[in-house]
């Protein structure tokens, strides 16, 4: 007789949950062997096949997979496992230095996007945040700021950039005309402050310089002078004013007595020069 021996007993499929990390390319893999937790069969296991072995960014979180266990006689059992996919790879943060210009009111700004120089992440960037975006006069020069790059799965990387703040806005120069009186010595003077009529700059005025402040007799009348206004960051503007020099000091008149002899006709004469005893004026006698 023929005795036919059959094995119709399915193997015992035992699964275990597995955690998989994505790599820098955004991929992660798991094998049937990793999910298997001791599946068995009296006659032997022929194969174990997992329903999914490759995972990508869009599958971060819990994924249910099926392990199919086949014994040497073709009997099959399955079990389910959870593949927990994690992305713990920080993004690549790349910064670039930025130069910004202050405006006429002393303000300037930049953005995280301007500082970013190609930061990347396999699963995607969620946000770019710069530690400071608005700048004022007191920050003219180099400022070190931090760019924080966060990917879609919450991983964070930072880089630093130098934000160079420049003030290239010239001050506003406003002049007013001034009248200068000469003294008895024939000298007179004014100042840059007297000529200034409210010159201004958002970041502040460093100096006011007038092209000429001292005047003498030969400059009586209208004189066109230049006021140079320099702000704290070296920007310069000029304006012109008329300095009117006046001499209102009367001369000093000094007389001396004179004796005049009549001639044979009964006439005699003298001169102003003979009577003058050293009259003087700083700007001259006319």
């Amino acid at each position: 007789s023929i005795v036919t021996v059959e094995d119709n007993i399915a193997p015992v499929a035992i699964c275990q949950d597995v955690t998989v990390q994505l790599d820098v390319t955004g991929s992660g893999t798991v094998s049937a062997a990793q999910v298997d937790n001791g599946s068995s069969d009296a006659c032997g296991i022929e194969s174990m096949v997992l329903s999914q072995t490759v995972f990508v960014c869009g599958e971060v979180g819990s994924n249910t997979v099926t392990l199919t266990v086949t014994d040497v006689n073709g009997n099959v059992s399955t079990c389910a496992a959870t593949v927990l996919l994690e992305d713990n790879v920080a993004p690549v943060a790349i910064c670039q230095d930025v130069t910004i210009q202050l405006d006429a009111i002393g303000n300037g700004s930049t953005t995280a996007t301007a500082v970013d120089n190609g930061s990347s992440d396999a699963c995607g960037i969620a946000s770019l945040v710069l530690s400071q975006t608005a700048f004022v006069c007191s920050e003219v020069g180099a400022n070190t700021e931090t760019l924080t790059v966060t990917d879609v799965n919450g991983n964070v990387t930072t880089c630093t950039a130098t934000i160079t703040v420049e003030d290239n806005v010239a001050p506003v120069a406003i002049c007013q005309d001034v009248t200068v009186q000469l003294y008895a010595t024939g000298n007179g003077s004014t100042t840059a402050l007297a000529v200034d009529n409210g010159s201004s700059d958002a970041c502040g005025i460093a100096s006011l310089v007038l092209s000429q402040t001292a005047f003498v007799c030969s400059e009586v009348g209208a004189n066109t002078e230049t006021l140079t206004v320099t702000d704290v960051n070296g920007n310069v503007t000029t304006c012109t004013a008329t300095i009117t020099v006046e001499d209102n000091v009367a001369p000093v008149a000094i007389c001396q007595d004179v004796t005049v002899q009549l001639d044979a006709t009964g006439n005699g004469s003298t001169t102003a020069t003979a009577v003058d005893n050293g009259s003087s004026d700083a700007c001259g006698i006319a």
Side-chain angles (χ1 to χ4, degrees), residues 93-97 114-119 130 145-149 158-162:
I94 306 173
C95 286
Q96 61 184 343
D97 296 336
V115 172
D116 179 53
N117 194 27
S119 300
L130 189 62
E145 303 299 337
T146 301
L147 179 68
T148 300
V149 182
T158 62
C159 59
T160 58
T162 298

Side-chain angles (χ1 to χ4, degrees), residues 189-206:
S189 64
T190 188
T191 64
L193 284 174
V195 172
D196 179 53
N197 194 26
S199 300
S200 63
D201 186 87
C203 293
I205 300 293

Side-chain angles (χ1 to χ4, degrees), residues 50-64:
L50 195 61
S51 58
Q52 183 178 351
T53 59
V54 178
F55 298 85
V56 293
C57 292
E59 295 165 310
V60 168
S62 296
N63 300 269
T64 300

Side-chain angles (χ1 to χ4, degrees), residues 25-123:
T25 66
S27 297
T29 60
V30 65
S31 65
Q34 289 174 286
V35 172
D36 178 51
N37 195 26
S39 300
S40 61
D41 186 90
C43 291
I45 301 294
E46 177 68 23
S47 66
M48 289 185 288
V49 178
L50 195 61
S51 58
Q52 183 178 351
T53 59
V54 178
F55 298 85
V56 293
C57 292
E59 295 165 310
V60 168
S62 296
N63 300 269
T64 300
V65 295
T66 300
L67 179 67
T68 300
V69 182
T70 304
D71 69 15
V72 294
N73 293 307
N75 301 298
V76 177
S77 292
T78 62
C79 60
T82 297
V83 174
L84 179 61
L85 186 64
E86 295 182 348
D87 171 19
N88 291 317
V89 178
V92 177
I94 306 173
C95 286
Q96 61 184 343
D97 296 336
V98 173
T99 298
I100 64 172
Q101 303 293 331
L102 294 180
D103 59 21
I105 62 174
N107 296 317
S109 63
T110 187
T111 63
T113 301
V115 172
D116 179 53
N117 194 27
S119 300
S120 62
D121 186 88
C123 292

Side-chain angles (χ1 to χ4, degrees), residues 16 20 30 38 49 64 69 75 118 123 133 143-144 167 195 199 201 204-205 210 235 246 250 257 267-268 271 274:
Q16 61 184 344
V20 175
V30 65
V49 178
T64 300
V69 182
N75 301 298
C123 292
T133 58
N143 301 266
T144 300
D167 170 22
V195 172
S199 300
D201 186 87
I205 300 293
L210 189 61
N235 302 297
E246 295 182 349
D257 296 337
N267 296 313
T271 63

Side-chain angles (χ1 to χ4, degrees), residues 2-16:
I2 295 173
V3 177
T4 301
V5 179
E6 294 181 348
D7 172 18
N8 293 316
I9 298 175
V12 176
I14 306 173
C15 287
Q16 61 184 344

Side-chain angles (χ1 to χ4, degrees), residues 3 20 45 86 91 95 122 150 152 177 189 216 248 256 264 270 273 281-282:
V3 177
V20 175
I45 301 294
E86 295 182 348
C95 286
T150 305
V152 293
D177 296 337
S189 64
V216 293
N248 292 315
Q256 60 184 345
T270 188
T273 301
D281 187 90

